[in-house]
Amino acid sequence: MLGPPAVARPRVPVLLPVALDQTYDYAVPAGLEIEPGDFVIVPFGPQTRIGLVWDQPVGDQGKPVDEKKLKAIIERMDVPGLPAISLRFAEWVGRYTLAPLGMVVRMMMSAQAAFEPAKPRLGVARVEGAAEPPRMTPARKRALDIAADGLIRAKSALASEAACSAGVIDGLIEAGCLVEVVIPERRFPRPDPAHATVTFTDAQQEAVETLAAAVEAGTFSVSLLDGVTGSGKTEVYFEAVARTLDQGRQALIMLPEIALTSQFMDRFKARFGAPPAEWHSALSGPERGRVWRAAATGEARVIVGARSALFLPYADLGLIVVDEEHDPGFKQEDRVHYQGRDMSVVRAHLGRAAVVLASATPSIESHVNARTGRYRHLILPGRYTGVDLPEITPIDLRSAPPEKGRWLSPVLVEAMAETMAKRQQTLLFLNRRGYAPLTLCRSCGHRIECPQCTAWLVEHRFRNRLNCHHCGFSMPLPSKCPKCGEADSLVACGPGVERIDEEVRERFPEARIALLSSDLIPSLTEMRDIIKRIEGGEIDIIIGTQIVAKGHHFPDLSIVGVIDGDLGLAQGADPRAAERTFQLLHQVTGRAGRALAKGAGYIQTHMPEHPVMDAIVRGDREAFIEREIRTRQLAMLPPFGRLASLIVSARHKETAESVARDIARRAPAAPRIEVLGPAEAPISVIRGRYRWRLLLKAPRELDIQAYLRAWLAEIPEIKGDLRLTVDIDPYSFL
Ligand code: ADP
Ligand code: ZN
């Protein structure tokens, strides 16, 4: 007798979070319900891995795998699945950036703890009515007194509160005075859209209404919220967040420097009565898992995060705010090279959400989109307080140079002294960490370079070390020249913030000074603490790198001095160098005089006649934008043309060069696409790898990805220690 015909087992395509652009079919065991977006455990080679069930096969499937050889899903994980929008978004990002889909998905899974079984955390609590322990020591008494409130605490927390050892707590458990209990999982509080109300100015009200309508429409839209620092942009987009909450949808606020934004969190709490969920690199592993899951279940209503927050598995994202949308920090430069601002527009389009791009100095890209009507342009004129923007004075270093070995022009020093006398604050800005960017031997002229990079080592005097800012190499400051051996011959050339700090301490010994540089501040808490002290007027002079330029509001700050206004303009190959300098100078000088009264900005420069400097000084933003748009248009630079970089790197100089040349030779002919290079990269060696670059330039309407895909298909396999990086819409040209 023949048995019943074999029924093919159902199969589903599964994507693995590895550098592959394809799904593999797996059989679904009987009784298991599997849906697209589910996370599953599957056998993969000799191991098992987490995979993501896709809704259609991806990539070259070849011949279908024979039924008998088909491996089966081991189990479905107890994790919320990804919504269909996340799958479409991943595909979109992969196609656009040319990153393998598996790598994009891996980025979406970047919260390991979310995929591990939740470990119930145990804490201790007082046993009500328990008798005193047989032996009562002072430490035991302290612990019991604290636990008398009946709250559940982690063992370690109770021990530290009672200043005793964990052993004391264990003893109390043994004696039956304390009991171990599961700490209930913390829930994300719900922000209340009606918690506080704001009375808006007419211009603000108009913007508020437009954004409210955009959110309530439940469709895709992009609005550029354009207004000087202090014009109320945050206040206005908070209303858009409130309307999103009213709609029952989630909101994401992306910030470029999430680690520094305690002020922002406080403001959010004041407006909504509860803090938002935070997502950034300083979160602990378990906390990441918690936020990831809460984004997926919808428990987290508002998430404030860095660019990677865009890839969380939102249940229903209705609004994305990109604050400081012009900030280059939204561009990710490794693994999946994406521009968070641009991808937020894509994400919103897929999910019928509204986007608000907010900035006092919008990117040229966004200005052009606003002009062509692709984005709504909402303008908030002037500061809410009515205080004018600071008056900017260029200090011509040719006619008013600092004394030899000093970095502050007498003009700036005098302004600082006056500010001190008025008991107001000064901010000095220099976008360079460390003490000096170059260490030179007076005797033989040797310049100390990184052994692994073509870059000078930067002296960090507080730590007494020379550091490489490209690879992290570090060595103690030598006492003699490593080349000629001459003792005491090394001299520091040029200033970094630590050197400015030294000069300020000499000139103003009575001043209370805060030096803010990312390498000097050990933790987020410490940073937030310093910021609080600045806000509270406990600091007279703030010296900082670009971490001071962003997002802070210092009510007593009356003058800002820029030590080297020309610093950003020298970046030859970078088409955004002028724009970025303008934004940074505008932003940092804009910190002056927010609450108090009109402030003043001073910019030390060797070229006050430079158009960027001229526009800053005259406060003529429109003139700068006009000029910059025209320049980009003529040169077919973004957003009028598209760029893509190819970077070839290898341990051997010859390999890098010959492979780069070979790749260039294989470029398909296309009349409207220019392939520039290959050329040695400006930083030709990083971490011992030789780097060569190619730059593609194409008209905007051309499908540069299709061209690149065809090209890359012609390239022999990249193997061994060779590496080829593709960067669409590059922001770095080094
Ligand atoms: P921006 O985001 O444009 O820099 P903010 O939203 O931070 O501006 O506003 C600057 C300051 O003015 C903040 O302290 C804010 O609370 C206050 N502010 C702005 N608009 C209003 C308003 N309509 N009512 C009360 N305070 C406001
Ligand atoms: Zn290095």
Side-chain angles (χ1 to χ4, degrees):
M1 280 273 303
L2 288 175
V7 183
R9 290 177 292 172
R11 49 171 82 193
V12 287
V14 173
L15 188 86
L16 292 144
V18 294
L20 286 172
D21 240 332
Q22 78 167 102
T23 53
Y24 295 95
D25 277 358
Y26 283 88
V28 181
L32 197 61
E33 291 259 340
I34 294 288
E35 283 186 38
D38 281 348
F39 288 98
V40 289
I41 299 197
V42 293
F44 187 62
Q47 310 151 313
T48 61
R49 297 196 72 130
I50 300 178
L52 177 58
V53 179
W54 219 258
D55 45 9
Q56 64 218 2
V58 175
D60 183 8
Q61 295 292 307
K63 263 201 339 244
V65 179
D66 184 54
E67 174 68 21
K68 285 194 223 67
K69 288 201 194 129
L70 197 63
K71 291 182 180 163
I73 289 171
I74 298 171
E75 62 172 313
R76 191 168 67 90
M77 299 186 76
D78 182 20
V79 186
L82 291 190
I85 289 168
S86 289
L87 307 192
R88 300 291 84 80
F89 185 42
E91 287 168 350
W92 211 102
V93 172
R95 260 200 312 273
Y96 189 85
T97 62
L98 270 79
L101 184 58
M103 294 309 279
V104 181
V105 164
R106 188 186 164 123
M107 200 161 69
M108 289 183 163
M109 294 168 60
S110 64
Q112 209 185 336
F115 297 89
E116 291 162 358
K119 281 183 238 122
R121 285 180 58 223
L122 283 183
V124 288
R126 176 92 207 232
V127 177
E128 230 172 294
E132 285 217 337
R135 199 167 49 81
M136 189 60 133
T137 61
R140 284 185 162 192
K141 174 144 188 1
R142 281 199 305 277
L144 287 177
D145 284 349
I146 289 166
D149 59 11
L151 296 180
I152 303 172
R153 291 177 174 77
K155 236 195 235 181
S156 56
L158 179 55
S160 88
E161 246 182 283
C164 68
S165 69
V168 172
I169 309 297
D170 286 334
L172 287 169
I173 295 170
E174 226 162 276
C177 305
L178 293 177
V179 64
E180 283 195 282
V181 282
V182 173
I183 303 180
E185 219 192 303
R186 273 176 307 139
R187 308 274 298 173
F188 285 93
R190 284 184 89 84
D192 172 8
H195 179 77
T197 47
V198 183
T199 314
F200 290 105
T201 65
D202 288 349
Q204 288 175 337
Q205 186 61 33
E206 213 181 302
V208 164
E209 279 164 20
T210 310
L211 292 183
V215 166
E216 280 154 13
T219 53
F220 167 70
S221 65
V222 185
S223 308
L224 176 61
L225 183 56
D226 175 2
V228 296
T229 314
S231 59
K233 296 186 295 297
T234 313
E235 226 54 77
V236 167
Y237 73 63
F238 274 175
E239 288 310 299
V241 172
R243 295 296 76 76
T244 309
L245 293 173
D246 286 341
Q247 299 280 307
R249 302 184 78 186
Q250 292 164 292
L252 162 65
I253 303 174
M254 295 210 293
L255 303 175
E257 290 271 341
I258 183 76
L260 310 178
T261 44
S262 62
Q263 254 174 355
F264 184 87
M265 300 303 166
D266 293 346
R267 268 185 81 177
F268 187 95
K269 202 168 163 199
R271 171 64 184 81
F272 293 98
E278 289 183 47
W279 177 263
H280 50 77
S281 55
L283 288 187
S284 69
E287 194 59 19
R288 284 178 89 78
R290 204 173 143 246
V291 177
W292 195 95
R293 281 173 179 266
T297 58
E299 181 190 323
R301 308 307 301 158
V302 182
I303 294 196
V304 173
R307 59 179 184 236
S308 56
L310 191 58
F311 293 92
L312 287 168
Y314 299 97
D316 184 18
L317 186 59
L319 172 72
I320 306 175
V321 177
V322 184
D323 201 351
E324 312 282 9
E325 66 91 31
H326 62 277
D327 197 287
F330 287 116
K331 178 73 199 281
Q332 169 147 311
E333 309 271 42
D334 58 70
R335 288 163 186 271
V336 181
H337 293 238
Y338 68 89
Q339 160 49 285
R341 175 197 61 221
D342 297 350
M343 291 306 114
S344 75
V345 173
V346 172
R347 176 66 179 75
H349 190 254
L350 292 170
R352 297 178 205 287
V355 177
V356 177
L357 306 177
S359 175
T361 50
S363 60
I364 295 296
E365 282 84 347
S366 294
H367 270 300
V368 171
N369 280 327
R371 285 184 181 196
T372 56
R374 283 167 50 114
Y375 295 174
R376 270 186 209 116
H377 199 174
L378 309 176
I379 299 171
L380 300 181
R383 288 174 163 182
Y384 171 71
T385 52
V387 173
D388 280 337
L389 282 176
E391 181 110 22
I392 311 287
T393 310
I395 301 178
D396 190 338
L397 291 173
R398 295 165 305 190
S399 55
E403 302 137 49
K404 201 169 167 330
R406 300 288 190 116
W407 312 100
L408 306 182
S409 163
V411 182
L412 181 54
V413 174
E414 196 185 308
M416 289 171 71
E418 279 170 22
T419 307
M420 281 281 288
K422 283 189 275 184
R423 312 199 140 272
Q424 291 169 1
Q425 280 172 338
T426 297
L427 168 69
L428 295 180
F429 170 74
L430 174 61
N431 207 5
R432 204 189 267 141
R433 289 178 285 136
Y435 183 81
L438 167 65
T439 305
L440 180 94
C441 173
R442 228 182 337 227
S443 163
C444 74
H446 178 63
R447 296 159 176 224
I448 305 188
E449 273 198 27
C450 174
Q452 327 187 71
C453 304
T454 32
W456 296 331
L457 289 179
V458 179
E459 178 180 346
H460 285 250
R461 193 160 281 192
F462 285 145
R463 306 210 189 288
N464 225 345
R465 298 188 78 83
L466 294 176
N467 293 344
C468 174
H469 286 183
H470 298 286
C471 72
F473 171 87
S474 173
M475 63 185 263
L477 195 63
S479 57
K480 49 189 184 192
C481 173
K483 181 122 185 263
C484 71
E486 186 77 17
D488 300 323
S489 70
L490 296 175
V491 282
C493 299
V497 277
E498 292 180 13
R499 199 167 199 177
I500 302 303
D501 178 80
E502 179 185 78
E503 178 172 345
V504 170
R505 280 176 203 282
E506 280 168 30
R507 291 188 186 273
F508 302 97
E510 73 288 12
R512 297 164 300 172
I513 298 167
L515 175 54
L516 277 82
S517 174
S518 55
D519 57 310
L520 293 173
I521 297 171
S523 72
L524 195 58
T525 342
E526 209 139 330
M527 179 72 192
R528 291 183 170 177
D529 188 55
I530 298 177
I531 300 284
K532 287 239 152 69
R533 278 170 42 219
I534 297 173
E535 285 165 26
E538 293 170 43
I539 300 290
D540 304 309
I541 301 172
I542 307 146
I543 301 161
T545 59
Q546 63 172 338
I547 64 174
V548 298
K550 293 175 192 170
H552 308 295
H553 165 47
F554 302 136
D556 293 334
L557 187 62
S558 76
I559 73 165
V560 169
V562 176
I563 306 298
D564 186 351
D566 310 333
L567 197 56
L569 289 173
Q571 251 106 60
D574 184 349
R576 294 187 187 83
E579 178 190 348
R580 221 176 273 174
T581 304
F582 181 87
Q583 287 160 344
L584 197 55
L585 293 182
H586 184 87
Q587 204 169 20
V588 70
T589 54
R591 302 282 143 212
R594 281 185 58 169
L596 214 72
K598 186 165 175 166
Y602 296 86
I603 303 180
Q604 301 195 146
T605 170
H606 285 97
M607 33 185 178
E609 66 289 340
H610 191 289
V612 170
M613 217 56 78
D614 183 58
I616 287 279
V617 169
R618 289 190 296 114
D620 194 349
R621 193 186 80 157
E622 298 315 308
F624 172 77
I625 296 165
E626 280 306 325
R627 193 178 158 275
E628 191 60 20
I629 290 181
R630 234 177 309 120
T631 311
R632 301 264 185 106
Q633 202 158 17
L634 286 173
M636 289 299 279
L637 287 168
F640 301 100
R642 293 182 188 278
L643 298 179
S645 292
L646 298 186
I647 304 157
V648 178
S649 73
R651 294 248 152 233
H652 292 282
K653 195 171 178 194
E654 294 71 28
T655 320
E657 177 173 356
S658 67
V659 171
R661 292 199 187 285
D662 180 52
I663 290 177
R665 263 193 302 276
R666 293 169 193 262
R672 301 175 63 206
I673 293 192
E674 258 184 283
V675 177
L676 308 168
E680 198 168 44
I683 304 180
S684 57
V685 188
I686 294 183
R687 290 175 202 275
R689 301 183 65 84
Y690 291 83
R691 307 166 70 242
W692 279 70
R693 297 187 70 111
L694 289 143
L695 184 68
L696 246 79
K697 242 176 109 174
R700 189 188 157 81
E701 63 281 5
L702 233 143
D703 185 348
I704 200 170
Q705 284 84 1
Y707 176 85
L708 269 163
R709 242 177 248 115
W711 184 4
L712 297 177
E714 295 304 311
I715 294 173
E717 197 192 343
I718 297 288
K719 54 183 178 206
D721 85 320
L722 260 178
R723 223 174 282 156
L724 172 65
T725 306
V726 180
D727 187 358
I728 307 283
D729 307 334
Y731 277 62
S732 162
F733 296 83
L734 295 175

